[in-house]
Amino acid sequence: MTGRRRELDQPSQVGSSFELDQPSQVGSSYGAAVLCAVAGCDHRACHAGPFQVAYIGIDAIEEDGGCFVSACVSLPMTADWSKPCSHSRLDKWGEPCSALHVGGYTPSWDEMAPVFVEGALYVNLVYYQEDYHIVILKYDLVSNCLSLIDPPLAGPFNLNAASLMAMDDNSLGFAHVDKVTLQLWSRQTGSDGIASWTQRSVINLNNHLPIQNPNERLRLIGSVEGSDTIFVTMGLDIYELNLKTFRWKKLQKREKLLGLIPYMSFYHPQERVIPGDAAQ
């Protein structure tokens, strides 16, 4: 938003260039997420602080070799915004994790942003087997390990009907909408150290919708990290919904919106003004 940027070289150990003892690759895709590298940060004024980038690559192998996912994270880097850095590059990546075999299907990244909870990055992987299905990929940055988690509901899923969330109790959440019924789940770790899904609520939104008997189905397009606020579309309208109070707020109209990523604006009174950035 300030017009400054950092350029990152793609890690050579992850993605389409990842070497595997398998037949030749027939397709690959990747995704990335920018993470604050300061423990306990409230993210209100950390735009110039240390950050990391998690990079995940997906490689499909021919001849029913299945699909492999690999990942790595960059070393913490502080953005030096005191001088132009449009040509400054970041190519210091950590060791990649062991490649994870995800089966005979070829998944792709969900349209919505990944979720970061308790040192791990979560993303919905969507694949097609007679219909659309979802599997949750977990990238634990502490152990540098990939794993798969089944969603709390069995598929198939309509596209944009399911969304991962970072809940207000710092747990992983899963929201699913079917027509006007919203189900909300959270993933909790028991005393035995085993994590499982717990259903938090089933909400019939018909009595809470801003319009009655909607012809268009609801689509989930995003959420606010660490809260019970989600964003949905109904037709061409975008709404913000608080799952505790059921209060709706119409945001705007937008055609063909795939995902919404909210951000927190901030003002740091002690921030030094860069002469080149001053308004003319």
Side-chain angles (χ1 to χ4, degrees), residues 191-249:
S191 58
D192 55 1
I194 299 177
S196 61
W197 292 105
T198 300
Q199 191 173 61
R200 290 184 51 167
S201 57
V202 179
I203 306 168
N204 187 332
L205 298 175
N206 197 46
N207 297 326
H208 305 285
L209 293 173
I211 62 175
Q212 296 296 320
N213 302 317
N215 295 323
E216 300 285 346
R217 67 180 178 89
L218 299 179
R219 296 170 59 246
L220 299 173
I221 58 171
S223 62
V224 177
E225 179 180 346
S227 74
D228 286 321
T229 299
I230 62 173
F231 299 97
V232 301
T233 62
M234 188 163 42
L236 299 180
D237 295 324
I238 303 173
Y239 293 92
E240 174 186 311
L241 169 62
N242 187 296
L243 299 178
K244 288 184 177 179
T245 63
F246 301 116
R247 295 185 62 181
W248 290 79
K249 179 181 179 181

Side-chain angles (χ1 to χ4, degrees), residues 10 27 41 138-139 144 146-147 157 163 185 199-200 208-209 230 249 275:
Q10 178 178 342
C41 182
K138 176 183 178 180
Y139 178 31
N144 196 28
L146 290 168
S147 58
F157 292 91
S163 174
W185 303 71
Q199 191 173 61
R200 290 184 51 167
H208 305 285
L209 293 173
I230 62 173
K249 179 181 179 181

